[in-house]
Amino acid sequence: MSAKLSKLRQRLEERLAGRIQILALALNELSLEIAATDYESVMRDLIDAPELGFEQLIDLCGVDYSIYQDEGREQRFAVVAHLLSLAHNWRLRVRTFAEDDDFPRLPSVTSLWTSANWYEREAFDLFGIVFEGHEDLRRILTDYGFVGHPLRKDFPLEGHVEMRYDEKERRVIYQPVTITPRENAPRIRREANYGAKHD
Amino acid sequence: MTDIRNHTLNFGPQHPAAHGVLRLVLEMDGEVVESADPHVGLLHRGTEKLVETRTWAQSVPYMDRLDYVSMLCNEHAYCLAVEKLLGIEVPARARYIRTMMDEVTRILNHLLWIGCHGLDVGAMTMTLYTFREREDLMDAYEAVSGARMHAAYYRPGGVSRDLPDRMPQYRESPWKDKKAVQAFNANRQGSLLDFLEDFTERFPKYHAEYHTLLTDNRIWKQRLVNIGVVSPDRAKQLGFTGAMLRGSGVEWDLRKKQPYAAYDKVDFDIPVGVTGDCYDRYLVRMEEMLQSNRIIRQCIDWLRVHPGPVMSDNHKVTPPPRMEMKSNMESLIHHFKLFSEGIHVPEGEAYAAIEHPKGEFGIYAISDGANKPYRLKIRAPGFAHLAAMDEMARGHMLADVVTIIGSQDIVFGEIDR
């Protein structure tokens, strides 16, 4: 497998010369990081170049890096796409950080892969990342009239409003949440070697 | 001339053929669909947000509730992703158990699919046949895990316990006399493997019955042939995987191409369709059941002669045996830390995909080194399939929409997450 990945790596370096920020091999997976300005052209090359041949966009999702423990991150929102080539039987992960944290936006890739349509709608819905050129950027998973982007790290787990049927008004109403969150096991980070087996 | 206008039809979310909570807004020109706009999210439970607040091991049961028709396959993808991040090896016996239970799950899923698909299209009898076989496989689930549906049997590092030596028995009751109970328990006298072997011997006969009921049935063919045709190129563009992609004639199966668990050690074939219509997808899934049956047989033969551990012995990840805890201080500490704080997964990211009964089910996990995931994205196959609804249904009649939904094998637990 890794011989195959080094071949893919070499081809990527040739094809995308100058546009690669990071190309890392970890856990037998290749991750490519590119700038938002190169996003459209790189993605076009990945599907069009026969020697790369990524004809399937398997997945596209947003990630909010705002509380990630790494100090090096400047931007908050990233879009991560997982591509698959059936012809070559290899995969690639492409990560792009959106430049503006307050109004994250990236070009849409729906013209390259039709399957990007709903994935971009989902990333817009859950993270508020706007895909320029997407023809139908509506919310998809959350309720009609939902306010906020629930998978952002500053969105509380229990949400802001809850819905119930009101006897007096005889209709369904929204009200501020009444439940309080409960954390059974706190989030803990240990030093690097903590989880490793030592003899 | 009378004034003819298009009208909009709201299909679901409370409709028996909508497979749960699909709301379809159809733009109709008479009886012909002009465009279809699926509204999803009515079953959205925020699984991806919830798992960020749970430890890695606590999230396994959430995976069951994604695609609630193929529970163990969801868990498998999750466990593979966590194991990849941790860099631990799963014992061979656990890999074979996972392979076998995945295939049991595949039959379970396809049986429900063919039953409900038949029901949607007008073959009422199918559910009565398939639920008879599902009962046996559910009993296999119950025997290994104690639960008939939401098993939580796979764990990062292996499976929670070894296969049981005896099957649960039926007991006498006012509704079942001694003779009936004996008949019910006849194939439950041995271990789980004996029970499953008996099932694999019976199953081809049942499978032939489904073929008799449907394959050459005139109504069935009229409803399925040439409906929802997808060309191979479009199938790739639309992100199709699994039987939807193979139905269009693309030979792609992760079990063969990117093997995981013990799939590189078992022998099976990949059925491929020709025209890419609903009928081809039906034939592909039907043949997949027989291939699953073959894989189960091979796994049973292997598991009979290869006893061994079913959990990794790295006790930073898997709980130590109960006996050891009583005498060994280190084991006691491990146990306490595992169940209070959870596994610490090294910083990094991993994508693990499996050939789910519905297609490629993937888990993309990002860890920042804490005891909880930083971000977990679930790649559900049905999400991409349902997104193609508009393209597949355009130009077809209203009744064909029901066929296409059935053919896509939609389950809302995974689409809405």
Side-chain angles (χ1 to χ4, degrees):
Chain A
M1 196 67 191
S2 59
K4 205 168 209 178
L5 284 179
S6 57
K7 197 160 130 195
L8 171 62
R9 185 179 194 144
Q10 196 189 338
R11 289 184 186 180
L12 283 169
E13 278 164 354
E14 279 167 24
R15 186 83 194 186
L16 307 175
R19 286 177 289 175
I20 298 173
Q21 286 186 336
I22 302 170
L23 183 59
L25 178 71
L27 304 174
N28 226 353
E29 293 173 38
L30 258 183
S31 309
L32 172 69
E33 207 166 305
I34 49 172
T37 44
D38 293 330
Y39 181 62
E40 211 170 1
S41 72
V42 168
M43 291 305 244
R44 188 174 297 280
D45 277 357
L46 290 175
I47 185 174
D48 284 347
E51 77 269 21
L52 301 172
F54 288 103
E55 64 256 76
Q56 271 203 319
L57 177 84
I58 282 293
D59 187 30
L60 186 145
C61 67
V63 182
D64 176 0
Y65 277 100
S66 57
I67 58 165
Y68 197 81
Q69 308 281 349
D70 191 352
E71 307 307 319
R73 309 262 176 214
E74 279 172 19
Q75 291 117 339
R76 180 176 174 189
F77 294 104
V79 165
V80 182
H82 284 91
L83 305 176
L84 170 68
S85 165
L86 304 182
H88 302 289
N89 190 10
W90 54 37
R91 289 174 189 278
L92 179 68
R93 177 184 301 127
V94 183
R95 189 196 333 273
T96 317
F97 279 90
E99 273 168 4
D100 189 352
D101 285 354
D102 299 320
F103 181 40
R105 54 182 187 270
L106 278 174
S108 168
V109 291
T110 40
S111 56
L112 304 175
W113 293 279
T114 316
S115 57
N117 180 356
W118 276 27
Y119 289 124
E120 288 181 353
R121 277 179 67 184
E122 187 193 326
F124 164 70
D125 187 2
L126 302 181
F127 290 92
I129 300 168
V130 173
F131 293 89
E132 289 167 326
H134 192 293
E135 284 173 3
D136 186 25
L137 202 63
R138 285 175 292 155
R139 287 187 176 273
I140 184 162
L141 289 177
T142 51
D143 198 2
Y144 305 110
F146 189 86
V147 179
H149 301 288
L151 251 73
R152 288 187 173 186
K153 291 288 179 183
D154 51 9
F155 192 94
L157 179 69
E158 70 279 9
H160 295 298
V161 288
E162 64 186 25
M163 191 174 73
R164 67 173 176 86
Y165 179 74
D166 190 86
E167 285 285 350
K168 262 191 210 135
E169 293 193 46
R170 318 199 79 193
R171 66 184 179 92
V172 172
I173 60 161
Y174 286 91
Q175 63 183 38
V177 277
T178 52
I179 49 167
T180 44
R182 186 176 56 139
E183 196 172 47
N184 293 331
R187 184 181 190 88
I188 302 167
R189 267 184 102 223
R190 298 281 181 189
E191 61 275 23
N193 206 27
Y194 183 78
K197 193 180 165 81
H198 51 85
D199 299 303
Chain B
M1 277 295 281
T2 45
D3 183 27
I4 300 173
R5 275 177 306 159
N6 284 0
H7 55 260
T8 309
L9 188 80
N10 191 31
F11 180 100
Q14 307 273 332
H15 190 286
H19 284 221
V21 289
L22 170 65
R23 183 181 167 209
L24 260 179
V25 179
L26 298 165
E27 196 76 38
M28 307 289 297
D29 178 14
E31 184 84 355
V32 178
V33 178
E34 296 250 287
S35 75
D37 178 21
H39 286 212
V40 300
L42 284 101
L43 198 62
H44 181 59
R45 293 149 297 176
T47 307
E48 289 172 8
K49 183 87 176 172
L50 276 169
V51 298
E52 286 173 12
T53 62
R54 302 288 184 271
T55 65
W56 288 92
Q58 281 174 346
S59 297
V60 174
Y62 281 123
M63 298 300 130
D64 285 324
R65 285 149 182 82
L66 289 171
D67 180 356
Y68 42 76
V69 188
S70 25
M71 297 66 73
L72 286 179
C73 287
N74 307 341
E75 287 175 24
H76 199 168
Y78 177 77
C79 290
L80 284 179
V82 179
E83 283 153 11
K84 202 171 190 178
L85 280 168
L86 286 163
I88 53 170
E89 274 290 310
V90 177
R93 188 172 168 84
R95 288 207 301 275
Y96 270 90
I97 292 176
R98 283 180 178 183
T99 309
M100 183 178 80
M101 292 311 288
D102 269 19
E103 294 311 314
V104 166
T105 310
R106 196 177 311 276
I107 298 183
L108 207 55
N109 176 79
H110 284 4
L111 285 177
L112 186 99
W113 158 77
I114 188 64
C116 296
H117 192 20
L119 202 61
D120 291 346
V121 176
M124 186 76 194
T125 330
M126 277 314 288
T127 33
L128 304 176
Y129 277 74
T130 60
F131 272 69
R132 176 188 59 183
E133 280 75 81
R134 269 173 67 83
E135 197 61 31
D136 284 345
L137 297 176
M138 294 273 220
D139 285 346
Y141 258 57
E142 191 182 351
V144 296
S145 72
R148 285 163 59 83
M149 280 187 79
H150 301 306
Y153 179 53
Y154 298 171
R155 303 287 159 86
V159 296
S160 68
R161 57 180 188 154
D162 208 343
L163 299 172
D165 292 332
R166 59 187 298 275
M167 288 293 292
Q169 309 283 317
Y170 281 99
R171 283 195 215 125
E172 273 180 68
S173 71
W175 302 277
K176 278 196 196 79
D177 60 11
K178 200 174 174 188
K179 213 174 143 197
V181 166
Q182 268 176 358
F184 271 114
N185 287 336
N187 57 2
R188 289 158 191 272
Q189 298 308 311
S191 67
L192 171 79
L193 290 177
D194 296 328
F195 179 75
L196 275 178
E197 189 170 23
D198 174 62
F199 176 83
T200 55
E201 272 159 24
R202 284 180 288 135
F203 186 67
K205 201 174 125 258
Y206 298 142
H207 191 267
E209 290 174 356
Y210 312 150
H211 268 306
T212 317
L213 277 165
L214 293 178
T215 305
D216 289 324
N217 183 319
R218 201 172 77 206
I219 303 170
W220 182 253
K221 283 182 97 165
Q222 278 171 352
R223 293 294 305 271
L224 263 74
V225 175
N226 281 332
I227 300 298
V229 180
V230 182
S231 72
D233 283 343
R234 286 309 296 164
K236 288 176 196 165
Q237 261 282 318
L238 291 163
F240 281 12
T241 45
M244 296 288 288
L245 186 62
R246 290 192 286 275
S248 293
V250 182
E251 194 197 331
W252 180 263
D253 191 318
L254 287 180
R255 292 175 293 171
K256 281 265 193 234
K257 303 282 180 182
Q258 298 172 3
Y260 53 94
Y263 282 109
D264 49 347
K265 301 197 180 68
V266 291
D267 194 25
F268 62 100
D269 299 320
I270 312 174
V272 176
V274 180
T275 50
D277 58 359
C278 290
Y279 191 69
D280 271 17
R281 290 190 279 273
Y282 153 74
L283 290 177
V284 165
R285 290 203 179 98
M286 285 291 272
E287 182 56 32
E288 271 183 22
M289 284 198 263
L290 280 188
Q291 297 300 329
S292 296
N293 204 47
R294 247 174 96 189
I295 299 174
I296 295 174
R297 278 306 284 267
Q298 295 169 50
C299 289
I300 291 172
D301 292 342
W302 191 94
L303 286 166
R304 275 193 200 286
V305 290
H306 291 86
V310 292
M311 267 286 214
S312 159
D313 60 356
N314 181 349
H315 294 313
K316 298 283 182 196
V317 177
T318 60
R322 204 90 199 150
M323 284 298 283
E324 255 175 51
M325 269 169 55
K326 306 288 179 194
S327 55
N328 185 335
M329 191 62 189
E330 200 189 344
S331 294
L332 189 66
I333 295 170
H334 276 147
H335 182 269
F336 179 74
K337 289 307 265 182
L338 272 175
F339 288 96
S340 57
E341 200 176 297
I343 312 167
H344 282 269
V345 172
E347 189 180 344
E349 51 186 349
Y351 178 78
I354 64 154
E355 187 68 29
H356 189 269
K358 294 183 169 61
E360 176 176 327
F361 184 91
I363 296 284
Y364 170 47
I366 304 178
S367 170
D368 62 347
N371 55 344
K372 298 173 178 184
Y374 184 79
R375 166 96 168 98
L376 194 93
K377 162 77 197 201
I378 299 151
R379 195 271 170 193
F383 193 74
H385 296 160
L386 192 63
M389 188 70 209
D390 181 44
E391 190 173 321
M392 287 172 80
R394 214 167 264 205
H396 281 302
M397 308 284 260
L398 175 60
D400 298 334
V401 171
V402 175
T403 313
I404 293 169
I405 295 172
S407 164
Q408 285 182 343
D409 197 4
I410 295 296
V411 165
F412 273 89
E414 54 154 11
I415 292 171
D416 291 348
R417 284 160 283 157

